[in-house]
Amino acid sequence: AWLRFVMGWMSDGQIFCKPSAELSTAELTIVPIDNRESGVKAAMIPISDTKLLVIESRRPNEVFDCEGTGVATSSWRARRGVIVYTVDLTLGHGEGFQALVAPAGRGLQTASNCATPQQLDAVMGVGDIVESNGVRVRVLASGRYDRVEISRP
């Protein structure tokens, strides 16, 4: 979502944006990023002048995604849910300027039938919570869209 936003591929109406200093609690429904339907595609929470937290909804892509990774099961269909990541604008390309935030206790996983490196199990389902930079994200519901609560703990 961040790169799409920077390239002008997403309109302001597709982004929920509220600086963390002004945030108390917000609930919103997020349309999956690759879905052609209109609606909010991402939440962007500025943490500072150079850092933000991005929340987006993902659904598997049968053409490009590998089987065997995801939340709770080894099916590619399980790779549906919310991802949260930080964007650090002081870092450049290849320096890790985007970093996933995974729920506690999650680690690297290997796709059994895909020749890719291990991936961080960061796709969030209903009930999952992450905290980063003073912002908490909780997944409230998941179906065709994802409903999240964003708050300052």
Side-chain angles (χ1 to χ4, degrees):
W2 172 250
L3 294 176
R4 290 178 190 199
F5 175 73
V6 168
M7 290 186 279
W9 295 354
M10 295 177 73
S11 68
D12 290 348
Q14 293 177 300
I15 307 293
F16 170 87
C17 184
K18 183 164 277 220
S20 64
E22 299 174 17
L23 183 67
S24 55
T25 299
E27 281 189 28
L28 63 139
T29 298
I30 303 176
V31 176
I33 192 76
D34 289 329
N35 188 316
R36 293 183 185 257
E37 294 179 40
S38 61
V40 173
K41 301 281 187 164
M44 297 187 187
I45 311 298
I47 305 299
S48 70
D49 290 342
T50 60
K51 194 169 190 177
L52 65 144
L53 194 69
V54 179
I55 301 118
E56 65 184 74
S57 175
R58 292 295 186 109
R59 295 297 180 269
N61 180 310
E62 292 182 30
V63 176
F64 298 111
D65 286 347
C66 293
E67 293 184 30
T69 59
V71 176
T73 75
S74 61
S75 168
W76 69 267
R77 296 184 196 290
R79 291 198 66 179
R80 59 182 56 243
V82 173
I83 62 168
V84 176
Y85 56 96
T86 57
V87 176
D88 185 339
L89 301 175
T90 65
L91 301 173
H93 181 72
E95 294 181 313
F97 75 97
Q98 295 181 99
L100 284 168
V101 179
R106 300 258 187 99
L108 295 175
Q109 58 183 359
T110 302
S112 60
N113 61 348
C114 189
T116 60
Q118 289 185 318
Q119 299 174 8
L120 181 61
D121 182 11
V123 180
M124 298 169 57
V126 175
D128 285 338
I129 297 172
V130 295
E131 288 188 25
S132 178
N133 294 279
V135 177
R136 175 183 292 151
V137 179
R138 180 170 59 122
V139 180
L140 302 174
S142 186
R144 187 173 182 168
Y145 311 115
D146 289 301
R147 184 117 182 114
V148 297
E149 176 187 76
I150 307 165
S151 62
R152 291 183 64 202

